[in-house]
Amino acid sequence: MNFSSPRRRFARAAVAGLALSGLLSACGGSDSGDSQSSGPVTLPFWGWANGQDAVVKAFNASHKDIQLKYTKVTDQLTMQKQLTNAVKAGNAPCLVQNTAEYVTSWVAQGALADITKYVDGEKSRFNTGSWTSAQVQGKMYGVPTSSSPNFTIYRADLFKKYGIKAPTTWDEFIAAGKVLKKHGIKITNYAGEDPSTLEVLAMQAGAHWYAIDGNAWKVDFQDAGTLKAAKVIQEIVDNDLNSKLSFADYAAVQRNYDNGGTATRQISTWQMAGMVQNFTKSFGDWALSPWPTFAGEAAKTPAGTNLTGSVTLVTKGCKNQEQAAQAALWMSTNTGAVKTMASPTTGNGVMPALADSDSYVPEAVSQKLLGDNYQPAQQIVKDSLKTVTTDWTFGPDWTAMFTEMQAGWAKVVSKEQTVTQLLAHMQEWTVDDLKSRGISVKG
């Protein structure tokens, strides 16, 4: 919710062998990676996250036989387009920053290398969910780089001023939004281009848009969990409790939060970095609270968005896949590299994918932003990692599906259609899309 582009969310990606049959195809070879016998191996690496250039410099300084050549891409969505073109042209980089929702699609296109034999012995160093994010059909196609603890950040000063407690449920969240509305304040922001709000609430509610049913994919955008999430979103939209600021003007979105125009965000640690870097007025006024639950349900946070949950993928055309796997492992496990990326000042404020990451929470949470609320915020972050959804599946046409959903979500935000109308369209569209790709599907 309120996820800026690029969206970086984490969730468990699972596929079945026969469900991908007909999609897996050989990817043309490329010259990615210098395989000359003399001199160090040079590995092209594409990414977008703040701090990665510093990590690359540290890697190159400490390695004589392997060197990384880093290219910064504008954002995650740009990455998918540029990587598509590079794969078609046969000149994809060896290493690519990406997130869990795209792994299945890239495997289906034959773009990624199976690096299981190079990394499988390192499994115990990572938390189970993060490790799975780089895996398809039990094979590893990259190394996880981060986890995604999710929580609410809110303007504690405004909540106190208007006598509102931090919402613990979505019902309380809507009620708080109605109070804030009377004072010209929106409780949340729905960017018209970003339907991840619907995705993560559906995920939290136990929905399964994609699932494996025998030898086919089962598609269901209208299950009970999704409809429960839709009801919450529709009530927020109908009551005009949300701002409608596009992340295309990122600075304007940040000014709105800083000026108190919008009072909460459901986010992960990495999004706090943008707040720290852009705010000028509201430092110390923010606090964290757990992600709201559905009434009567236990705490459960979406694994998304994610989705920070980044992975460093190795492409199939890379001539030096073992060295690429070694470099990816170093960037995800080296203490200095992890601290650089965990800090909202030097990196993106991402939580590492390591099995024991509690010690990095102080690095990932901004004392400048939270002020007196800094210490209690750390426990909220730690607790959120214990309630993360682990049974969400990304489908083989996720990229295309999400693009289609973006157009419909914009109409939801502008009240041109309802959430349930969007879901009905996505059900029909996704089934037809999978069939057009030759994939067995039920739905």
Side-chain angles (χ1 to χ4, degrees):
M1 183 171 296
N2 297 316
F3 291 102
S4 62
S5 179
R7 298 171 301 105
R8 284 178 291 255
R9 294 160 286 130
F10 163 78
R12 181 178 182 177
V15 295
L18 290 178
L20 287 177
S21 62
L23 271 184
L24 296 175
S25 58
C27 179
S30 79
D31 295 326
S32 297
D34 184 355
S35 60
Q36 296 180 2
S37 58
S38 60
V41 169
T42 300
L43 306 173
F45 172 32
W46 290 2
W48 64 77
N50 293 332
Q52 279 189 328
D53 51 349
V55 170
V56 167
K57 288 179 182 178
F59 177 89
N60 289 341
S62 60
H63 292 76
K64 294 181 179 180
D65 298 331
I66 307 173
Q67 295 285 287
L68 297 175
K69 183 180 179 181
Y70 181 63
T71 299
K72 187 168 186 177
V73 178
T74 304
D75 56 42
Q76 176 165 304
L77 297 181
T78 301
M79 170 70 80
Q80 312 317 315
K81 297 175 183 177
Q82 293 186 356
L83 184 57
T84 296
N85 294 334
V87 168
K88 289 179 179 178
N91 59 3
C94 273
L95 292 164
V96 180
Q97 178 192 359
N98 228 300
T99 50
E101 70 263 41
Y102 294 108
V103 177
T104 304
S105 296
W106 286 118
V107 171
Q109 294 177 56
L112 303 182
D114 175 5
I115 61 168
T116 307
K117 61 183 177 181
Y118 304 129
V119 303
D120 210 33
E122 306 294 328
K123 181 178 180 179
S124 63
R125 302 177 70 179
F126 296 86
N127 68 61
T128 301
S130 293
W131 186 257
T132 307
S133 71
Q135 194 177 70
V136 176
Q137 295 178 268
K139 297 179 180 179
M140 296 296 293
Y141 292 91
V143 176
T145 61
S146 59
S147 300
S148 183
N150 287 285
F151 43 81
T152 300
I153 189 168
Y154 67 99
R155 282 290 294 266
D157 58 330
L158 296 179
F159 273 60
K160 182 178 180 180
K161 181 178 180 179
Y162 298 117
I164 310 170
K165 293 182 179 180
T168 60
T169 67
W170 288 114
D171 289 341
E172 291 178 2
F173 186 83
I174 291 170
K178 291 178 179 178
V179 173
L180 291 169
K181 179 183 176 181
K182 297 176 182 178
H183 304 282
I185 302 169
K186 305 294 187 181
I187 196 167
T188 190
N189 180 59
Y190 288 169
E193 74 276 8
D194 189 3
S196 59
T197 296
L198 177 57
E199 176 195 343
V200 294
L201 262 70
M203 187 187 299
Q204 180 194 12
H208 296 281
W209 291 353
Y210 294 87
I212 300 301
D213 186 357
N215 296 332
W217 283 95
K218 181 180 179 181
V219 174
D220 193 350
F221 283 80
Q222 297 169 300
D223 60 7
T226 304
L227 295 179
K228 185 161 55 176
K231 183 176 182 296
V232 171
I233 293 170
Q234 194 65 60
E235 191 165 353
I236 290 172
V237 171
D238 287 347
N239 285 280
D240 297 312
L241 306 183
N242 59 296
S243 300
K244 303 174 184 178
L245 300 174
S246 169
F247 282 103
D249 190 347
Y250 187 69
V253 175
Q254 297 292 4
R255 282 196 303 272
N256 181 261
Y257 288 122
D258 196 22
N259 293 332
T262 305
T264 80
R265 297 180 71 183
Q266 273 74 43
I267 62 171
S268 188
T269 54
W270 65 269
Q271 287 144 315
M272 296 173 71
M275 301 171 81
V276 172
Q277 294 161 8
N278 288 276
F279 285 3
T280 60
K281 300 177 180 179
S282 61
F283 290 120
D285 292 335
W286 295 84
L288 301 189
S289 64
W291 188 282
T293 66
F294 290 94
E297 296 186 7
K300 186 178 181 182
T301 54
T305 133
N306 136 22
L307 178 125
T308 290
S310 289
V311 294
T312 303
L313 301 173
V314 179
T315 61
K316 196 170 187 177
C318 180
K319 294 181 179 179
N320 299 285
Q321 293 174 8
E322 182 175 4
Q323 291 91 334
Q326 292 172 1
L329 278 169
W330 186 92
M331 289 189 286
S332 291
T333 60
N334 176 267
T335 301
V338 172
K339 283 187 175 181
T340 294
M341 298 306 294
S343 169
T345 302
T346 61
N348 256 37
V350 296
M351 284 294 295
L354 301 175
D356 183 9
S357 57
D358 280 3
S359 62
Y360 293 95
V361 171
E363 296 283 344
V365 179
S366 170
Q367 186 169 11
K368 183 178 182 180
L369 186 64
L370 299 169
D372 293 340
N373 300 309
Y374 173 67
Q375 290 297 334
Q378 294 180 44
Q379 190 59 49
I380 289 171
V381 173
K382 294 175 184 178
D383 290 344
S384 72
L385 285 168
K386 301 173 184 176
T387 59
V388 174
T389 306
T390 59
D391 61 350
W392 181 261
T393 300
F394 291 113
D397 67 338
W398 184 269
T399 303
M401 182 282 294
F402 199 86
T403 300
E404 180 68 18
M405 184 176 279
Q406 284 180 298
W409 175 255
K411 293 180 180 179
V412 169
V413 173
S414 63
K415 298 185 178 182
E416 296 176 59
Q417 69 173 353
T418 65
V419 183
T420 53
Q421 287 172 333
L422 169 60
L423 292 169
H425 169 73
M426 292 310 305
Q427 177 68 28
E428 181 178 358
W429 186 94
T430 305
V431 169
D432 290 345
D433 182 65
L434 290 175
K435 288 181 178 178
S436 72
R437 297 169 187 262
I439 301 173
S440 180
V441 59
K442 299 178 182 179

